[in-house]
Amino acid sequence: MSEKHHHTEYLKRFSRWRIIEHQANAIVFSVLGLTGLAQKFHDASWAQWVIMNLGGIDSSRMVHRTAGVLFTILTLQHVLVACYGLILKKWSPSMIINKKDFTDAIDNLRYYFGMSERPARCDRYDYKQKFEYWGVVVGGILMILTGLTLWFPTMVFRLAPVLPGQIIPAAKATHTNEAMLAFLVIVIWHIYNSVFSPEVFPLDTSIFTGKISKERMIHEHPLEYERVTGKKLPDSHHPGSETEETELEDASW
Ligand code: HEM
């Protein structure tokens, strides 16, 4: 009697470049957060430990600025590659915020309060993922502009002499507070969603393997599933236990 194997079917979610980009961003952001926050909270014992182990305040600042340059390159290439792909129609604008994101958020609230039967049916990225993505892009550009202002204050006035002198303390306040905000969003929101959320615990591996289970895809991104497979989902779909692995074209940004 042959034993029946139950394998999960996987769909491709991220290209290799997206995976490398995410890991590079995670490393560079961690270095920036650690070396930046150690300077902000320099009286704390953990901060002194970090600074001493990096060889003192001068080398800690050097590490922060070097990581800042890498972060700037990563952000610039991301924006340029995104625009290039969108203009040449190499991928669909799946991160653009549209009216459906707002109605999806309301639909989900109604669902969580027991006022509707089913949650919102989302596409490749849901409204929470778009919110986080744009927070990273806009926040990242803000960190770059304010970081460069703190690094080259005299250059800022040479390039734009009309700017008031308060621009330097304003850049410092923005840089340091946005750093706290970004750090808390990553630690509380992003780590919860990718590690501790019951949907993915103990780890959402999709950004390492580039794949997502068919079950999760149907549950979290039903519209994308229908679009890329050409299959219409029944209202109450319970994914079976099929064996093959499906490779889909990663044509979305
Ligand atoms: C996005 C991630 C970043 C985080 C979380 C971050 C965090 C911080 C923090 C917390 C401080 C200390 C502010 C204070 O003393 O109150 C700081 C200082 C500083 N940051 Fe950043 N930063 C980031 C990106 C950048 C970038 C992209 C650059 C430059 C291109 C940069 C350049 C600087 C400079 C020049 C200082 C002043 C300290 C020094 O002279 O080294 N930072 N950063």
Side-chain angles (χ1 to χ4, degrees):
M1 211 167 75
S2 72
E3 197 189 329
K4 197 175 176 192
H5 290 284
H6 293 274
H7 292 296
T8 312
E9 189 179 336
Y10 283 94
L11 304 167
K12 185 174 175 191
R13 179 147 174 84
F14 297 118
S15 66
R16 191 169 301 160
W17 180 240
R18 288 278 88 74
I19 296 171
I20 296 171
E21 201 184 15
H22 178 273
Q23 278 27 306
N25 253 307
I27 294 168
V28 172
F29 180 80
S30 303
V31 173
L32 284 166
L34 192 70
T35 52
L37 294 174
Q39 291 177 65
K40 182 176 169 67
F41 300 109
H42 50 81
D43 283 339
S45 56
W46 70 264
Q48 290 178 2
W49 184 89
V50 170
I51 292 171
M52 290 320 289
N53 277 284
L54 286 173
I57 187 64
D58 285 343
S59 46
S60 301
R61 289 173 72 192
M62 189 53 80
V63 173
H64 189 81
R65 291 168 186 206
T66 309
V69 172
L70 292 177
F71 184 79
T72 306
I73 294 169
L74 276 171
T75 306
L76 276 181
Q77 71 78 28
H78 180 85
V79 173
L80 290 177
V81 170
C83 293
Y84 164 85
L86 287 176
I87 290 165
L88 295 187
K89 296 198 170 25
K90 282 184 180 292
W91 39 72
S92 55
S94 52
M95 272 296 181
I96 300 296
I97 298 168
N98 52 40
K99 199 173 142 229
K100 188 174 176 302
D101 293 314
F102 294 91
T103 52
D104 280 355
I106 294 166
D107 286 352
N108 265 355
L109 269 180
R110 286 170 49 80
Y111 173 71
Y112 295 142
F113 280 110
M115 292 158 69
S116 93
E117 288 281 297
R118 58 177 64 89
R121 300 180 82 240
C122 297
D123 209 321
R124 181 167 171 81
Y125 296 110
D126 64 32
Y127 58 92
K128 287 171 280 179
Q129 291 169 321
K130 289 185 185 180
F131 181 77
E132 197 178 332
Y133 171 81
W134 285 106
V136 170
V137 173
V138 175
I141 292 170
L142 209 58
M143 291 310 278
I144 293 167
L145 292 178
T146 53
L148 289 174
T149 305
L150 294 177
W151 193 350
F152 306 106
T154 47
M155 181 91 86
V156 171
F157 291 113
R158 211 171 303 149
L159 290 174
V162 287
L163 287 175
Q166 290 95 323
I167 201 83
I168 307 297
K172 162 106 172 174
T174 308
H175 198 81
T176 190
N177 288 312
E178 171 64 26
M180 270 319 283
L181 179 69
F183 174 75
L184 291 174
V185 167
I186 295 294
V187 169
I188 297 171
W189 179 318
H190 190 67
I191 299 294
Y192 171 78
N193 278 318
S194 46
V195 179
F196 295 107
S197 161
E199 308 271 343
V200 298
F201 188 82
L203 181 68
D204 181 351
T205 53
S206 63
I207 202 60
F208 299 97
T209 62
K211 292 170 189 163
I212 184 171
S213 71
K214 180 178 161 187
E215 198 179 0
R216 266 191 68 204
M217 178 94 152
I218 290 173
H219 181 60
E220 295 170 29
H221 311 284
L223 290 188
E224 183 186 21
Y225 179 83
E226 288 186 340
R227 189 161 33 76
V228 292
T229 61
K231 294 178 192 160
K232 191 102 189 86
L233 288 169
D235 267 359
S236 55
H237 184 92
H238 296 294
S241 38
E242 289 101 296
T243 50
E244 74 198 89
E245 184 181 283
T246 310
E247 285 283 317
L248 293 169
E249 218 20 61
D250 182 20
S252 302
W253 179 249

mmCIF file of all heavy atoms in Angstrom, residues 4 29 32 91 132 135 142-143 146 150 164 189 217 220 225 251-252:
data_model
loop_
_atom_site.group_PDB
_atom_site.id
_atom_site.type_symbol
_atom_site.label_atom_id
_atom_site.label_comp_id
_atom_site.label_asym_id
_atom_site.label_seq_id
_atom_site.Cartn_x
_atom_site.Cartn_y
_atom_site.Cartn_z
ATOM 1 N N LYS A 4 0.450 8.159 0.985
ATOM 2 C CA LYS A 4 0.163 9.389 0.242
ATOM 3 C C LYS A 4 0.937 10.556 0.877
ATOM 4 O O LYS A 4 0.840 10.815 2.072
ATOM 5 C CB LYS A 4 -1.341 9.677 0.291
ATOM 6 C CG LYS A 4 -1.739 10.669 -0.786
ATOM 7 C CD LYS A 4 -3.229 10.868 -0.820
ATOM 8 C CE LYS A 4 -3.572 11.949 -1.834
ATOM 9 N NZ LYS A 4 -4.930 12.373 -1.722
ATOM 10 N N PHE A 29 20.669 49.060 7.544
ATOM 11 C CA PHE A 29 19.791 49.767 8.488
ATOM 12 C C PHE A 29 20.165 49.416 9.929
ATOM 13 O O PHE A 29 20.174 50.301 10.802
ATOM 14 C CB PHE A 29 18.322 49.416 8.210
ATOM 15 C CG PHE A 29 17.372 50.106 9.141
ATOM 16 C CD1 PHE A 29 16.998 51.426 8.926
ATOM 17 C CD2 PHE A 29 16.868 49.453 10.259
ATOM 18 C CE1 PHE A 29 16.139 52.085 9.799
ATOM 19 C CE2 PHE A 29 16.009 50.097 11.137
ATOM 20 C CZ PHE A 29 15.641 51.411 10.902
ATOM 21 N N LEU A 32 23.237 51.369 10.865
ATOM 22 C CA LEU A 32 22.909 52.781 11.054
ATOM 23 C C LEU A 32 22.170 53.007 12.371
ATOM 24 O O LEU A 32 22.463 53.946 13.110
ATOM 25 C CB LEU A 32 22.044 53.288 9.897
ATOM 26 C CG LEU A 32 22.771 53.562 8.588
ATOM 27 C CD1 LEU A 32 21.785 53.711 7.440
ATOM 28 C CD2 LEU A 32 23.627 54.812 8.718
ATOM 29 N N TRP A 91 7.262 45.861 -15.179
ATOM 30 C CA TRP A 91 6.443 45.334 -14.090
ATOM 31 C C TRP A 91 5.290 46.266 -13.817
ATOM 32 O O TRP A 91 5.310 47.441 -14.174
ATOM 33 C CB TRP A 91 7.255 45.111 -12.806
ATOM 34 C CG TRP A 91 8.266 46.160 -12.515
ATOM 35 C CD1 TRP A 91 8.026 47.430 -12.091
ATOM 36 C CD2 TRP A 91 9.685 46.017 -12.618
ATOM 37 N NE1 TRP A 91 9.199 48.093 -11.925
ATOM 38 C CE2 TRP A 91 10.242 47.250 -12.240
ATOM 39 C CE3 TRP A 91 10.534 44.965 -12.974
ATOM 40 C CZ2 TRP A 91 11.612 47.464 -12.210
ATOM 41 C CZ3 TRP A 91 11.893 45.190 -12.947
ATOM 42 C CH2 TRP A 91 12.422 46.418 -12.577
ATOM 43 N N GLU A 132 3.894 50.514 4.933
ATOM 44 C CA GLU A 132 5.251 50.295 5.442
ATOM 45 C C GLU A 132 6.286 50.615 4.367
ATOM 46 O O GLU A 132 7.302 51.255 4.633
ATOM 47 C CB GLU A 132 5.380 48.839 5.902
ATOM 48 C CG GLU A 132 6.585 48.642 6.800
ATOM 49 C CD GLU A 132 6.702 47.207 7.296
ATOM 50 O OE1 GLU A 132 5.678 46.519 7.422
ATOM 51 O OE2 GLU A 132 7.844 46.782 7.535
ATOM 52 N N GLY A 135 6.613 54.292 3.881
ATOM 53 C CA GLY A 135 7.273 54.841 5.079
ATOM 54 C C GLY A 135 8.778 54.684 4.953
ATOM 55 O O GLY A 135 9.549 55.609 5.254
ATOM 56 N N LEU A 142 14.289 61.175 3.600
ATOM 57 C CA LEU A 142 14.419 62.194 4.660
ATOM 58 C C LEU A 142 15.713 61.979 5.455
ATOM 59 O O LEU A 142 16.448 62.934 5.748
ATOM 60 C CB LEU A 142 13.212 62.057 5.588
ATOM 61 C CG LEU A 142 12.710 63.297 6.307
ATOM 62 C CD1 LEU A 142 12.337 64.376 5.308
ATOM 63 C CD2 LEU A 142 11.495 62.939 7.165
ATOM 64 N N MET A 143 16.019 60.730 5.775
ATOM 65 C CA MET A 143 17.249 60.432 6.527
ATOM 66 C C MET A 143 18.489 60.777 5.706
ATOM 67 O O MET A 143 19.486 61.267 6.239
ATOM 68 C CB MET A 143 17.307 58.944 6.925
ATOM 69 C CG MET A 143 16.309 58.527 7.961
ATOM 70 S SD MET A 143 16.278 59.581 9.389
ATOM 71 C CE MET A 143 17.628 58.947 10.345
ATOM 72 N N THR A 146 18.726 64.757 5.532
ATOM 73 C CA THR A 146 19.128 65.358 6.811
ATOM 74 C C THR A 146 20.524 64.876 7.224
ATOM 75 O O THR A 146 21.309 65.649 7.778
ATOM 76 C CB THR A 146 18.103 65.032 7.920
ATOM 77 O OG1 THR A 146 17.898 63.607 7.956
ATOM 78 C CG2 THR A 146 16.780 65.729 7.684
ATOM 79 N N LEU A 150 23.785 67.244 7.997
ATOM 80 C CA LEU A 150 24.604 67.205 9.226
ATOM 81 C C LEU A 150 26.074 66.960 8.877
ATOM 82 O O LEU A 150 26.978 67.437 9.561
ATOM 83 C CB LEU A 150 24.113 66.088 10.161
ATOM 84 C CG LEU A 150 22.721 66.268 10.762
ATOM 85 C CD1 LEU A 150 22.339 65.069 11.597
ATOM 86 C CD2 LEU A 150 22.672 67.536 11.602
ATOM 87 N N PRO A 164 17.541 79.442 5.716
ATOM 88 C CA PRO A 164 17.837 80.035 7.018
ATOM 89 C C PRO A 164 18.798 79.159 7.826
ATOM 90 O O PRO A 164 18.889 77.948 7.596
ATOM 91 C CB PRO A 164 16.464 80.095 7.696
ATOM 92 C CG PRO A 164 15.683 79.007 7.058
ATOM 93 C CD PRO A 164 16.193 78.874 5.658
ATOM 94 N N TRP A 189 6.459 46.733 14.491
ATOM 95 C CA TRP A 189 5.539 46.381 13.401
ATOM 96 C C TRP A 189 6.135 45.309 12.491
ATOM 97 O O TRP A 189 5.555 44.234 12.290
ATOM 98 C CB TRP A 189 5.209 47.659 12.622
ATOM 99 C CG TRP A 189 4.288 47.486 11.437
ATOM 100 C CD1 TRP A 189 4.329 46.481 10.513
ATOM 101 C CD2 TRP A 189 3.197 48.326 11.064
ATOM 102 N NE1 TRP A 189 3.348 46.663 9.573
ATOM 103 C CE2 TRP A 189 2.636 47.778 9.880
ATOM 104 C CE3 TRP A 189 2.645 49.492 11.580
ATOM 105 C CZ2 TRP A 189 1.569 48.363 9.234
ATOM 106 C CZ3 TRP A 189 1.573 50.063 10.917
ATOM 107 C CH2 TRP A 189 1.035 49.509 9.772
ATOM 108 N N MET A 217 -0.883 32.449 -0.155
ATOM 109 C CA MET A 217 -1.159 33.322 -1.309
ATOM 110 C C MET A 217 -2.670 33.502 -1.471
ATOM 111 O O MET A 217 -3.162 34.614 -1.661
ATOM 112 C CB MET A 217 -0.562 32.683 -2.564
ATOM 113 C CG MET A 217 -0.823 33.456 -3.817
ATOM 114 S SD MET A 217 0.542 34.547 -4.140
ATOM 115 C CE MET A 217 0.450 34.663 -5.912
ATOM 116 N N GLU A 220 -3.872 35.548 1.670
ATOM 117 C CA GLU A 220 -3.441 36.945 1.824
ATOM 118 C C GLU A 220 -3.492 37.765 0.541
ATOM 119 O O GLU A 220 -3.622 38.981 0.597
ATOM 120 C CB GLU A 220 -2.001 36.986 2.390
ATOM 121 C CG GLU A 220 -1.938 36.416 3.796
ATOM 122 C CD GLU A 220 -0.495 36.234 4.269
ATOM 123 O OE1 GLU A 220 0.384 36.997 3.829
ATOM 124 O OE2 GLU A 220 -0.262 35.304 5.061
ATOM 125 N N TYR A 225 -3.413 35.860 -6.866
ATOM 126 C CA TYR A 225 -3.483 34.433 -7.189
ATOM 127 C C TYR A 225 -4.365 34.218 -8.417
ATOM 128 O O TYR A 225 -3.988 33.520 -9.358
ATOM 129 C CB TYR A 225 -4.030 33.647 -5.990
ATOM 130 C CG TYR A 225 -4.153 32.179 -6.267
ATOM 131 C CD1 TYR A 225 -3.055 31.339 -6.131
ATOM 132 C CD2 TYR A 225 -5.359 31.642 -6.720
ATOM 133 C CE1 TYR A 225 -3.158 29.988 -6.431
ATOM 134 C CE2 TYR A 225 -5.470 30.295 -7.027
ATOM 135 C CZ TYR A 225 -4.369 29.469 -6.875
ATOM 136 O OH TYR A 225 -4.465 28.143 -7.185
ATOM 137 N N ALA A 251 6.664 39.517 -12.346
ATOM 138 C CA ALA A 251 6.568 40.690 -13.209
ATOM 139 C C ALA A 251 6.074 41.921 -12.455
ATOM 140 O O ALA A 251 5.843 42.954 -13.035
ATOM 141 C CB ALA A 251 5.621 40.394 -14.361
ATOM 142 N N SER A 252 5.923 41.783 -11.131
ATOM 143 C CA SER A 252 5.418 42.928 -10.380
ATOM 144 C C SER A 252 6.532 43.558 -9.577
ATOM 145 O O SER A 252 7.472 42.899 -9.198
ATOM 146 C CB SER A 252 4.321 42.475 -9.423
ATOM 147 O OG SER A 252 3.299 41.872 -10.143
#
